[in-house]
Amino acid sequence: MAIVWITRISGEASAKAVAALGASPLIAPLLKLCAASTPASAPPDDNVIAFTSGSAVRAFAALTDRRHWRAYAIGDATAALAVSLGFENTLSASGDVNALAALIIKDAPKNALGAVTYLSGVHIAGDLMGALDAAGIRASREIIYATHPVTQMPERAADALINEDNITVLLYSPKGARAFAALINSPQFAANIPKLITVSLSANIDAALGGLALMARHIADAPNEAALISALETALAKA
């Protein structure tokens, strides 16, 4: 059975989708979550909140027991995680930062939204704040977590690399892709490179792999979970 290595921190939704394809999911994150050095203040009650990652959802849920805010999530997996943690009034943009901004802007007149509190990590992709500001929507950003690359190959991934040949790797961020490239290039695992397949959420994530001579490199047609799983299905069929 093909093994699919899920490299994101919040990998449960991906694991279910992988299993539905008849493959064996292996969750072994390449990034670790750290709390921000200065805890964020709680958003005002009449604000809405925005998440661009599952890590932000987890970090914010750990900071407060309150769940009443209307939440906007970048993708379906992030939205599902928010709902599972109690943020029941959550909408998904099913895309990237631009799609998230468009959803909030479209929703603003209909729902008389208050200001937007963007809950994020230290490093972000895209310009959600700029897009909202250009649309005349008041927004502020609260940094609530940081992610750092792991410095050693995760134990479960190492076992699979040593004992299995049919491994496909799902990559969700440039930082995660760079961590993967650094770890797989180590003397212990470099011989596995020509046997591995990667499926990246976007072209810039694939580019972060550099010149790794993998068996195959696939890129999702759109930056969302559904497109990633569709690209994975194609990769598994070709393997």
Side-chain angles (χ1 to χ4, degrees):
M1 179 181 290
I3 293 174
V4 177
W5 175 6
I6 298 164
T7 62
R8 75 188 320 174
I9 294 173
S10 305
E12 293 82 2
S14 295
K16 290 180 181 178
V18 167
L21 295 179
S24 177
L26 187 159
I27 300 176
L30 290 173
L31 302 176
K32 56 184 177 180
L33 185 65
C34 304
S37 56
T38 303
S41 57
D45 285 342
D46 60 349
N47 275 25
V48 299
I49 57 178
F51 297 116
T52 52
S53 70
S55 294
V57 176
R58 289 186 186 279
F60 185 61
L63 288 174
T64 178
D65 293 331
R66 301 167 70 192
R67 301 288 188 269
H68 68 280
W69 293 280
R70 184 179 183 85
Y72 292 85
I74 192 167
D76 297 343
T78 302
L81 176 62
V83 171
S84 74
L85 292 176
F87 297 95
E88 295 182 359
N89 188 9
T90 298
L91 295 178
S92 171
S94 300
D96 57 9
V97 170
N98 293 330
L100 178 60
L103 175 62
I104 295 172
I105 293 166
K106 179 182 178 182
D107 225 27
K110 181 172 60 178
N111 289 290
L113 302 182
V116 178
T117 299
Y118 173 26
L119 299 156
S120 78
V122 173
H123 303 290
I124 55 176
D127 187 12
L128 179 62
M129 296 292 292
L132 296 178
D133 181 66
I137 295 175
R138 292 183 297 116
S140 61
R141 179 183 169 207
E142 291 280 2
I143 298 172
I144 58 173
Y145 76 95
T147 55
H148 301 289
V150 299
T151 56
Q152 292 184 332
M153 185 69 74
E155 184 176 350
R156 294 189 67 206
D159 289 344
L161 290 167
I162 291 168
N163 297 304
E164 305 288 344
D165 288 328
N166 191 357
I167 301 175
T168 299
V169 186
L170 294 183
L171 297 169
Y172 300 82
S173 70
K175 186 184 289 187
R178 287 190 291 270
F180 169 74
L183 293 171
I184 204 66
N185 264 318
S186 67
Q188 184 179 1
F189 301 109
N192 293 89
I193 293 174
K195 300 184 288 185
L196 295 173
I197 297 168
T198 56
V199 181
S200 297
L201 191 62
S202 66
N204 67 318
I205 295 171
D206 178 79
L209 294 171
L212 278 184
L214 298 153
M215 178 186 294
R217 291 163 64 155
H218 298 263
I219 301 171
D221 290 337
N224 59 57
E225 182 82 3
L228 182 71
I229 296 304
S230 178
L232 171 63
E233 186 173 15
T234 298
L236 292 174
K238 291 181 177 180

